[in-house]
């Protein structure tokens, strides 16, 4: 029962953003896009593996992320995962940047 309630809450929280998942996300300026890709490769890669295929953290490959709601992934990036090694990145990233990263990861993050 507790698990079902948790899943329901997670679904309801993710629903509004999932409805807008097909909306365009503004491409950051080229310098910021490079900085964001570097952050993912280096900072995220330190736990998720330098090739993003997993390590301490789960893989961040398109296959591993398939079917995961964009809103959940954006929330995880911004707010972290309490009780795990996943830190919050809110303050270093805004919501649009986190959404852009998620979409890049879904496509296979370019170099």
């Amino acid at each position: 029962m507790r698990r079902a309630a948790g899943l329901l809450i997670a679904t309801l929280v993710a629903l509004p953003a999932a409805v807008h998942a097909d909306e365009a996300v503004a491409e950051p300026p080229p310098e910021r896009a490079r900085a964001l890709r570097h952050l993912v490769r280096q900072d995220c890669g330190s736990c998720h593996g330098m090739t993003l295929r997993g390590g301490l953290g789960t893989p961040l490959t398109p296959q591993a992320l398939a079917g995961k709601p964009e809103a959940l992934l954006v929330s995880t990036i911004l707010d972290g995962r309490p009780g795990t090694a996943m830190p919050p990145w809110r303050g270093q990233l805004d919501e649009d940047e986190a959404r852009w990263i998620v979409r890049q990861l879904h496509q296979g993050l370019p170099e």
Side-chain angles (χ1 to χ4, degrees):
M1 181 69 158
R2 185 179 246 167
R3 179 182 158 104
L7 289 173
L8 177 60
I9 290 169
T11 301
L12 292 175
V13 168
L15 187 58
V19 168
H20 301 290
D22 61 346
E23 290 181 6
V25 172
E27 180 79 18
E31 187 173 313
R32 182 61 177 159
R34 277 191 299 279
L36 292 172
R37 281 192 292 274
H38 183 270
L39 176 124
V40 172
R41 293 273 181 213
Q42 296 301 307
D43 292 270
C44 302
S46 67
C47 284
H48 293 278
M50 298 309 285
T51 60
L52 305 179
R53 292 191 177 107
L56 173 64
T58 59
L60 298 178
T61 61
Q63 300 80 11
L65 298 175
K68 291 189 172 49
E70 181 177 283
L72 174 66
L73 298 172
V74 169
S75 175
T76 297
I77 291 169
L78 292 175
D79 301 321
R81 290 261 175 111
T84 74
M86 178 64 193
W89 289 92
R90 191 177 298 277
Q92 289 85 25
L93 301 171
D94 63 31
E95 189 168 335
D96 287 338
E97 291 172 330
R99 184 169 285 108
W100 182 84
I101 288 170
V102 167
R103 293 193 180 177
Q104 292 291 302
L105 290 170
H106 272 129
Q107 297 170 15
L109 187 71
E111 295 298 322

